Amino acid sequence: MTAVDGKGRVAIPASMRAVIEKNVAACGGDVRTVVIALHPKDPCLIAYDPAWLKLSHARLERREEAREESGDALDYNAKRKALALTESAGFDASGRFVLPDFYAMKAKLTPGTDAVFSGAGNFFEIWNPDVLLAADGVDPDLKELVEFTRARRSAK
């Protein structure tokens, strides 16, 4: 759990930042860039390296081709959600980046709140802890970890 500072910045945890930098370096891109998007189902953000965005685009193209071949209608919103509703953010050596305003508003990650980073395979999630604790369908152990972390932080 990390604070959203007065300028709307958060810091990507070191372990997640190292994976992003490694993946992007392998593709020859800017190693200090993260892509921010809305989670497709939950009231949080997802973030990933630009290389994963390329893989996601290729996967969408394959799905679209399969739909065309089977005579199904194309789902134009799938690409819009996955590609157009994203924003890149540069981060500094300590992993700090400014949350894009629209995305911060959607996830209720305003200055002075906390942010929870949760790894989810090819991407990680960024949650407002109050929203995470109130959300249906979130793993109970993750909720318990957030409550535990909060209690430890407030005890200091």
Side-chain angles (χ1 to χ4, degrees), residues 59-77:
R59 189 174 64 235
L60 281 168
E61 288 292 325
R62 287 191 301 275
R63 282 189 201 151
E64 192 172 85
E65 288 170 5
R67 289 181 76 104
E68 284 180 324
E69 288 173 11
S70 68
D72 291 338
L74 296 181
D75 179 6
Y76 293 103
N77 281 324

Side-chain angles (χ1 to χ4, degrees), residues 62-126:
R62 287 191 301 275
R63 282 189 201 151
E64 192 172 85
E65 288 170 5
R67 289 181 76 104
E68 284 180 324
E69 288 173 11
S70 68
D72 291 338
L74 296 181
D75 179 6
Y76 293 103
N77 281 324
K79 280 188 176 175
R80 287 181 186 124
K81 199 148 186 74
L83 304 172
L85 288 174
T86 64
E87 191 165 332
S88 294
F91 58 88
D92 65 17
S94 62
R96 287 183 313 166
F97 70 96
V98 176
L99 286 164
D101 291 340
F102 173 76
Y103 299 91
M105 180 269 306
K106 289 292 283 184
K108 297 180 176 35
L109 291 165
T110 57
T113 62
D114 285 328
V116 173
F117 286 74
S118 177
N122 292 325
F123 59 89
F124 55 89
E125 299 172 340
I126 309 172

Side-chain angles (χ1 to χ4, degrees), residues 4-67:
V4 180
D5 75 11
K7 295 180 181 178
R9 292 179 302 198
V10 293
I12 302 168
S15 60
M16 294 175 187
R17 187 172 66 245
V19 171
I20 290 170
E21 290 171 343
K22 179 182 172 189
N23 289 349
V24 176
C27 296
D30 180 358
V31 297
R32 291 202 176 137
T33 300
V34 65
V35 178
I36 307 296
L38 301 174
H39 191 284
K41 177 184 172 288
D42 291 320
C44 66
L45 303 178
I46 59 172
Y48 44 86
D49 61 71
W52 193 75
L53 182 61
K54 290 179 184 177
L55 293 174
S56 180
H57 181 261
R59 189 174 64 235
L60 281 168
E61 288 292 325
R62 287 191 301 275
R63 282 189 201 151
E64 192 172 85
E65 288 170 5
R67 289 181 76 104

